Amino acid sequence: MRRRLRSLLAAVSLPLVLVGMLLAARPAAAASLTRITGFGTNPTNLNMYLYVPDRVAARPALLVLVHYCSGSASGIFNGNGHDYVTAADRYGYIIVVP
């Protein structure tokens, strides 16, 4: 009788534990382009942005993604440079966008 009760209790509690774990799990933070300030003297008031993927390689490469003349960091990040962002997510390298 005790063995049967333990089996029943285990069968009922396992799904409850799994549901509790799923509800307690926080959603993953998505990587995004982040503005960096205070990176040294900046007499021309330039902006610098950094993209760090959610999974960074153990020894990540660093890519400086330069925008076209009269372009912007967000323009190249979301436009022609989007393939580099996708590759950074896949291979774990870091992107700096001036």
Side-chain angles (χ1 to χ4, degrees), residues 1-16:
M1 182 72 168
R2 281 186 143 172
R3 181 179 263 173
R4 185 176 259 174
L5 185 58
R6 284 185 201 167
S7 297
L8 181 62
L9 186 59
V12 170
S13 64
L14 182 61
L16 292 175

Side-chain angles (χ1 to χ4, degrees), residues 1-97:
M1 182 72 168
R2 281 186 143 172
R3 181 179 263 173
R4 185 176 259 174
L5 185 58
R6 284 185 201 167
S7 297
L8 181 62
L9 186 59
V12 170
S13 64
L14 182 61
L16 292 175
V17 169
L18 291 175
V19 168
M21 288 173 55
L22 289 173
L23 291 176
R26 294 177 25 195
S32 62
L33 197 60
T34 305
R35 183 174 180 204
I36 304 299
T37 58
F39 54 89
T41 58
N42 192 2
T44 56
N45 202 25
L46 297 174
N47 293 318
M48 180 173 72
Y49 297 87
L50 183 67
Y51 179 77
V52 179
D54 291 331
R55 292 181 306 168
V56 178
R59 295 179 57 191
L62 178 67
L63 173 71
V64 178
L65 183 59
V66 181
H67 60 77
Y68 47 88
C69 190
S70 75
S72 66
S74 64
I76 195 70
F77 185 79
N78 296 315
N80 292 342
H82 187 69
D83 290 339
Y84 293 109
V85 177
T86 303
D89 290 334
R90 176 181 237 171
Y91 299 111
Y93 61 82
I94 298 170
I95 301 175
V96 173
V97 188

